[in-house]
Amino acid sequence: MSATTEAVDKKIAGIMTGLGRNARAAAGELARATPAQKTAALTAAARAIREHQADILTANAKDMAAAKTRGLSGAMLDRLLLDAGRIGAVAQGIEDLALIPL
């Protein structure tokens, strides 16, 4: 493994550790949230995804380039690839969750 690959892997591990910590903290907040707060948060998340679609697609293009460099299979590349339709489906799925009575 090259020094560059090791550095990238270490950076990714640090990011994932931070995400895990944030997820644990958010889980506690979510457990105490009212149904209205949960619905508002889901609706805001869907809106943010739609509003930041261009940024998401730019970041995904970088991820795709890195994945191709690392030799990921075609099936894995397909799972990683985002387009406007997939991003819209994610936002719609979140909005659908917001409609479920709590």
Side-chain angles (χ1 to χ4, degrees), residues 6 12 38 47 56 60 70-71 85-86 101:
E6 288 180 24
I12 291 170
K38 291 175 186 177
R47 184 174 50 253
I56 293 167
N60 183 249
R70 293 187 108 177
R86 285 183 174 182

Side-chain angles (χ1 to χ4, degrees), residues 63-95:
D63 291 342
M64 290 297 296
K68 288 176 185 175
T69 299
R70 293 187 108 177
L72 267 66
S73 70
M76 290 300 291
L77 290 172
D78 182 61
R79 288 186 191 120
L80 182 61
L81 178 64
L82 293 175
D83 59 24
R86 285 183 174 182
I87 292 171
V90 168
Q92 184 61 55
I94 293 170
E95 289 170 339

Side-chain angles (χ1 to χ4, degrees), residues 34-48:
T34 66
Q37 290 170 321
K38 291 175 186 177
T39 298
L42 289 167
T43 302
R47 184 174 50 253

